[in-house]
Amino acid sequence: MKNKKILWAVGALVLIVLVIWLLSGGKKEEKVTFDTAKVEKKDIHTSITATGTIEPVTSVTVGTQVSGIVSKLFVDYNSVVKKGQVIAELDKTNLISELNTAKANLSSAQSTLNYETTNFQRYQTLYDKGLVSANDYENARLSYDKARQQVATSRESVQKAQTNLGYATITSPIDGVVLSKSVEEGQTVAASFNTPELFTIAKDLTDMRVIADIDEADIGGVKEGQRVTFTVDAFPDDHFEGAVTQVRQQATTESNVVTYQVVISAPNKDLKLKPGLTANVTIYTLELKDALAIPAKALRFMPNEALLKEGQTIEDTEASQKVWTLEGNIFKAHAVETGTTNGILTEIKSGISEGTEVLVDFNINDGDNPQQEQASNPFMPRPRNNKNGNQQKK
């Protein structure tokens, strides 16, 4: 009997606690908080990134058209040169000999021509008087024509030998700086099928460019004149400015990856940029300054009827593009006309005034476990807590 009394007492106590819990609501009161954002002017931009190589806008590879031994070098790496300045000489011994031979052949041919000219004139006189046959006259004229042709050929040989001798003196074709030197004094260069490369000269190192490889998925948004920023590992804290100057049509395929070359200007007044450096490029394919904008997420917000408090109502609109405001107890939809977007910010052309706070998202907070109910893109940035005034509680 004593145990039964204890069980009845415990049961009654449990029943009393259950009744009190039910009368108190059974759980903690849920609170709904809203994330809002102001309609305000912001800069909207999109960009793509790539890597490229820095090189001079104009560079010339200097070679030689004749073979020979390099007898003298007058410049070295980083030498500043002027157009027409002698930068190297080849040994001229054989070239001078060839010129002298050509001149001697020309002299011999000229002597032969003088003789054949006199002989032809004599035969012509005799032929006119009927003293020689037509065959003898024609032979004399043929010899005369051959002598004239031989003189012309010898004269061309002399000209060629003089030109080759001139090629032995190598001059700079432009004003610039010597970037590379491929030969040393005493080295033999052979100009048989390919022109030997002796020097590479850059015209102006204060005017550089970047050749960037852009993926085929991004090339459609790249156009001439777009602003570009880039960095180089040599100066990680410096940001350099440039612009797209050319989008080349030729595609390059490597390991099944298709890229296109884009030329970017790179002013280099302080000469920090050096040929061959790798540039980490950002091309701004869209730039809209001071545009009236809201977070793109606000266009996806919809009030949840199940979470309306007593007295709250919804005023909707049939517009396809709309944003919401909370005015007192009324959730009000505003039809808007949108413009440019980069996925994070969207331009508002009309439909709502600057400074208006629009609803972006809402959260449910039961006191212990706050939950954000509005579906969102996992790649979109999440709003911060209400420490900076970005979250408004209603």
Side-chain angles (χ1 to χ4, degrees), residues 43-267:
D43 295 340
I44 301 176
H45 63 79
T46 58
S47 62
I48 61 175
T49 58
T51 58
T53 303
I54 294 174
E55 63 180 38
V57 172
T58 302
S59 62
V60 178
T61 299
V62 181
T64 174
Q65 291 185 267
V66 294
S67 302
I69 298 173
V70 179
S71 60
K72 293 181 182 179
L73 290 177
F74 299 100
V75 295
D76 203 344
Y77 291 94
N78 302 332
S79 296
V80 177
V81 295
K82 297 293 183 181
K83 182 177 181 179
Q85 177 181 337
V86 177
I87 57 178
E89 283 187 355
L90 303 181
D91 182 74
K92 299 179 181 180
T93 304
N94 292 335
L95 296 173
I96 292 174
S97 177
E98 290 175 3
L99 177 59
N100 291 336
T101 300
K103 287 181 177 180
N105 290 336
L106 175 59
S107 179
S108 176
Q110 187 64 53
S111 298
T112 301
L113 176 60
N114 293 338
Y115 167 76
E116 294 297 342
T117 300
T118 302
N119 187 56
F120 173 66
Q121 290 173 349
R122 183 170 60 253
Y123 268 84
Q124 187 173 31
T125 301
L126 295 174
Y127 178 73
D128 291 340
K129 294 179 179 181
L131 299 178
V132 294
S133 66
N135 184 58
D136 292 338
Y137 170 72
E138 291 298 332
N139 286 335
R141 187 172 68 173
L142 178 61
S143 298
Y144 166 69
D145 289 340
K146 287 182 177 180
R148 282 196 307 156
Q149 293 168 2
Q150 184 61 44
V151 168
T153 301
S154 299
R155 188 174 287 114
E156 290 297 324
S157 297
V158 170
Q159 182 63 40
K160 181 180 178 180
Q162 287 177 333
T163 302
N164 287 339
L165 181 60
Y167 286 152
T169 301
I170 300 165
T171 60
S172 174
I174 58 173
D175 296 342
V177 178
V178 177
L179 295 184
S180 67
K181 182 184 69 170
S182 304
V183 294
E184 297 293 342
E185 290 186 2
Q187 183 174 339
T188 301
V189 292
S192 53
F193 297 103
N194 297 320
T195 301
E197 296 181 2
L198 306 183
F199 305 94
T200 299
I201 300 176
K203 184 175 183 180
D204 184 6
L205 293 182
T206 63
D207 185 19
M208 306 287 277
R209 66 181 180 182
V210 179
I211 306 297
D213 295 322
I214 306 299
D215 189 85
E216 62 177 324
D218 298 324
I219 194 64
V222 181
K223 296 178 177 59
E224 292 183 10
Q226 291 173 339
R227 185 172 69 92
V228 180
T229 62
F230 62 92
T231 60
V232 294
D233 292 341
F235 304 98
D237 297 329
D238 293 342
H239 287 77
F240 301 91
E241 296 279 343
V244 176
T245 59
Q246 186 183 57
V247 181
R248 294 178 176 173
Q249 302 299 323
Q250 178 65 41
T252 301
T253 303
E254 185 174 348
S255 300
N256 293 325
V257 177
V258 180
T259 59
Y260 292 83
Q261 286 190 334
V262 172
V263 182
I264 300 164
S265 64

Side-chain angles (χ1 to χ4, degrees), residues 7-20:
L7 291 174
W8 279 106
V10 172
L13 180 61
V14 171
L15 180 62
I16 292 171
V17 172
L18 179 61
V19 171
I20 294 174

